[in-house]
Amino acid sequence: MAKKVIFAASEAVPFIKTGGLADVVGSLPKAFDKEKYDVRVILPKYRIIPERYQSQMEYVMNFYIELAGKWVYVGVFQMQLDGITFYFIDNEYYFSGDRIYEDGLWDLEKFAYFSKACLNTLSAIDFKADIIHCHDWQTGLIPVYLKNEYWNPNNYGDFYQNMKTVITIHNLKFQGRWNIDDMMRITGLGAYLFTSDKLESYQAGNYLKGGLVYADWITTVSSVYADEIKYPFYGEGLDGLIRARANNLTGIVNGIDYDEWDPEKDPMLIQNYGIGNFAEEKVKNKTALQEELGLTVDGDRFMIGLISRLTDQKGMDLIDCVIEQICSEDVQLVVLGTGEARYENLFRYYEWKYHDRVSANIMYDNTRSHRIYAACDAFLMPSLFEPCGLSQLMSLRYGTLPIVRETGGLKETVEPYNEYENTGTGFSFANYNAHDMLHTIEYAKGIYYNRKKDWNGIVKRAMASDFSWAASARKYEALYEQL
Ligand code: ADP
């Protein structure tokens, strides 16, 4: 019989997305061996999920659960997409906001509710999961509630007793922290759980810490990041716990959906291309984008793309430091992103200053992101830390060479160009230093302009590298077996 697995998460493509977490939760389930694994996904039914999906959801049932002494409503909806069953937890009180993440304490209450609702839904629909796979702090309380309330045979018989939990850290920076009194009040969890070996961390309650303590296994999204978070610099205050649980921690690198991200078939591109004809065809995307964005139209011009949340994590302070030098006459810079006002304004200013070569698209736009991945020659991603990173994988797939800092998933997935051995799929620098980054950009530019044959060799290797989900899904399967 197929092993039953349920993914619990706060976002998933194509329904709702704020970051890479959604890509993973929406695409990984499709990559499992369907004969051996029945993988389903459970999400909040946010009001802002587009109507075209809402209208396809079928009502399943409703019931009430107890949360911190109150009885609250749980509606369950479901829909099938690409062979995967998605369940949606309906509660208008919690999920009718304009954004999926709102204010601190409110979000904590929302996801405490969601965690309990997920657990109760399993028995309500009679899906006796072998594995509950939780993602990030929003579902950190699932292992906590499971082992402290749902395992108790007086409450639920043996329904929950053999369930194992896995928690995946997509970004250790976000932990779901708040003062302990409020957290006890909204979660209904007892004071005995808020000790330093459980949910307490630096005098606050911490959802993610609860998940990391109570889950049977911890994964994170690259092996480099799995090692990095054992040290204080990357550990976000939890490095001690990560070290203590190092024997139950695995790094499994993310993939991307190779059907959605396929330069040969992508319907959003002006010109499709593949590994056999990129040298002639890819450039048509560049000139079309130059026209669309009002940049100087010149297929030979070195074009750098940047698609990112505009925050310090993504290395924006390095770019801020040397943007004048990056935007030299022989370069075009195309930015797509939103984030901190100072970075949004930085790029707006440079677009105003150099409108022929800088384009600042301060917005979220999926179609434009596909076109930028296809159009550019290089893709800049100088992150301070990067658990996995997906944008560099999309760039590799589209033959747009990543220029990255050697951290986390960037270090794991981008092999730096070695001109002596003719190996490598991109460019990288080690220290978090603006001039090291600038030097690497200059080096890449030199190869692009002066050694086109070598450049095309790198592009070919980048496009041939395989970061589809298949290999990673096998690793998750092996982990489920071992549990
Ligand atoms: P994060 O830390 O934000 O999750 P990732 O690299 O893992 O970073 O994933 C970011 C994803 O979001 C990529 O698919 C990227 O293309 C997409 N993305 C980021 N910003 C935008 C934007 N402004 N418009 C469209 N897509 C974006």
Side-chain angles (χ1 to χ4, degrees):
M1 218 173 57
K3 244 191 176 54
K4 294 192 172 87
V5 181
I6 189 95
F7 274 37
S10 56
E11 48 183 287
V13 291
F15 306 105
I16 192 99
K17 165 169 168 175
T18 70
L21 167 64
D23 291 300
V24 176
V25 177
S27 50
L28 171 59
K30 291 190 259 177
F32 287 96
D33 180 346
K34 299 231 165 17
E35 305 273 291
K36 298 198 191 124
Y37 300 90
D38 178 359
V39 182
R40 307 184 189 184
V41 183
I42 188 162
L43 302 165
K45 186 173 180 289
Y46 301 107
R47 184 185 55 79
I48 53 169
I49 292 177
E51 180 52 33
R52 63 179 180 282
Y53 298 117
Q54 302 261 8
S55 61
Q56 295 178 54
M57 296 175 190
E58 290 165 31
Y59 169 80
V60 180
M61 60 167 66
N62 76 74
F63 51 86
Y64 282 76
I65 59 170
E66 191 260 351
L67 176 67
K70 284 182 297 208
W71 288 94
V72 284
Y73 173 86
V74 179
V76 182
F77 285 69
Q78 76 170 53
M79 91 174 251
Q80 305 282 327
L81 190 74
D82 299 336
I84 302 294
T85 302
F86 289 85
Y87 296 102
F88 296 87
I89 300 296
D90 179 38
N91 180 306
E92 291 193 1
Y93 176 66
Y94 287 118
F95 300 134
S96 59
D98 295 333
R99 290 172 293 137
I100 68 175
Y101 307 125
E102 298 164 281
D103 296 325
L105 187 61
W106 174 237
D107 280 349
L108 289 167
E109 181 175 333
K110 193 156 69 181
F111 290 110
Y113 161 78
F114 178 64
S115 296
K116 279 201 131 175
C118 288
L119 284 165
N120 281 87
T121 298
L122 296 178
S123 56
I125 61 173
D126 197 25
F127 188 73
K128 201 168 182 172
D130 296 289
I131 311 277
I132 306 176
H133 193 148
C134 308
H135 295 269
D136 272 355
W137 72 265
Q138 293 87 351
T139 51
L141 287 191
I142 289 181
V144 179
Y145 282 127
L146 179 73
K147 292 197 180 152
N148 289 286
E149 293 182 16
Y150 291 71
W151 266 17
N152 184 342
N154 297 330
N155 294 344
Y156 296 97
D158 66 356
F159 187 83
Y160 291 96
Q161 282 191 339
N162 292 319
M163 292 186 188
K164 300 283 185 202
T165 49
V166 175
I167 187 161
T168 295
I169 305 169
H170 296 264
N171 191 337
L172 192 59
K173 192 174 183 67
F174 306 114
Q175 300 180 358
R177 290 163 49 86
W178 202 264
N179 78 60
I180 291 174
D181 288 343
D182 283 339
M183 203 175 264
M184 280 170 48
R185 180 171 53 75
I186 59 171
T187 60
L189 293 168
Y192 72 98
L193 287 168
F194 290 86
T195 54
S196 61
D197 58 334
K198 301 192 178 79
L199 271 70
E200 187 272 344
S201 160
Y202 302 93
Q203 286 89 49
N206 186 317
Y207 279 21
L208 181 67
K209 184 173 180 192
L212 299 179
V213 168
Y214 280 100
D216 296 294
W217 205 272
I218 302 169
T219 76
T220 187
V221 288
S222 67
S223 4
V224 175
Y225 192 61
D227 282 334
E228 286 174 342
I229 57 178
K230 291 172 192 153
Y231 297 91
F233 184 80
Y234 293 100
E236 305 289 346
L238 294 178
D239 46 295
L241 172 60
I242 300 286
R243 286 195 298 279
R245 294 224 57 194
N247 289 334
N248 305 100
L249 168 68
T250 317
I252 302 178
V253 74
N254 286 334
I256 54 173
D257 187 333
Y258 265 34
D259 294 327
E260 193 199 339
W261 298 95
D262 180 357
E264 290 194 83
K265 294 202 212 92
D266 190 335
M268 297 179 217
L269 303 192
I270 301 300
Q271 175 68 50
N272 291 113
Y273 59 95
I275 199 161
N277 64 356
F278 70 87
E280 306 81 49
E281 303 298 332
K282 184 175 179 347
V283 64
K284 295 180 186 163
N285 291 292
K286 188 198 287 190
T287 48
L289 190 72
Q290 288 167 331
E291 224 158 281
E292 187 182 338
L293 302 179
L295 299 169
T296 303
V297 178
D298 176 359
D300 291 331
R301 194 76 61 89
F302 185 58
M303 185 189 267
I304 303 175
L306 191 154
I307 301 173
S308 178
R309 290 183 287 120
L310 305 179
T311 64
D312 282 338
Q313 182 206 324
K314 299 293 181 178
M316 290 305 131
D317 48 343
L318 296 192
I319 296 175
D320 188 1
C321 197
V322 291
I323 187 164
E324 188 67 48
Q325 291 96 308
I326 295 174
C327 300
S328 56
E329 266 175 35
D330 52 357
V331 169
Q332 289 183 339
L333 177 66
V334 178
V335 178
L336 174 64
T338 57
E340 290 174 34
R342 60 190 168 127
Y343 296 130
E344 294 186 348
N345 292 334
L346 171 77
F347 293 119
R348 285 195 186 106
Y349 170 76
Y350 272 89
E351 176 181 83
W352 170 79
K353 187 170 179 191
Y354 297 129
H355 56 270
D356 58 323
R357 53 185 121 124
V358 177
S359 171
N361 304 271
I362 308 302
M363 62 180 80
Y364 192 93
D365 184 336
N366 188 43
T367 302
R368 185 154 293 177
S369 78
H370 282 246
R371 291 186 175 173
I372 295 172
Y373 285 120
C376 292
D377 301 295
F379 186 86
L380 185 58
M381 201 165 170
S383 305
L384 174 62
F385 68 94
E386 196 59 76
C388 178
L390 298 173
S391 302
Q392 84 280 14
L393 304 181
M394 291 150 187
S395 309
L396 288 168
R397 176 88 165 137
Y398 282 64
T400 300
L401 302 185
I403 299 174
V404 303
R405 188 174 96 81
E406 289 162 21
T407 183
L410 299 176
K411 186 170 175 182
E412 194 158 324
T413 57
V414 178
E415 190 194 341
Y417 174 53
N418 180 324
E419 59 185 27
Y420 306 104
E421 294 175 7
N422 247 317
T423 55
T425 55
F427 302 88
S428 64
F429 58 99
N431 292 325
Y432 195 71
N433 175 298
H435 286 92
D436 285 4
M437 174 185 75
L438 183 62
H439 175 77
T440 309
I441 296 171
E442 297 289 340
Y443 175 62
K445 185 168 79 180
I447 294 167
Y448 173 83
Y449 279 123
N450 306 322
R451 291 164 39 200
K452 217 17 161 315
K453 208 167 136 260
D454 291 334
W455 180 271
N456 284 343
I458 312 173
V459 173
K460 201 173 254 178
R461 287 193 292 276
M463 293 183 78
S465 57
D466 183 0
F467 292 102
S468 61
W469 272 111
S472 305
R474 299 295 87 76
K475 291 186 185 159
Y476 281 109
E477 289 174 359
L479 170 62
Y480 296 158
E481 292 306 322
Q482 168 195 337
L483 288 174

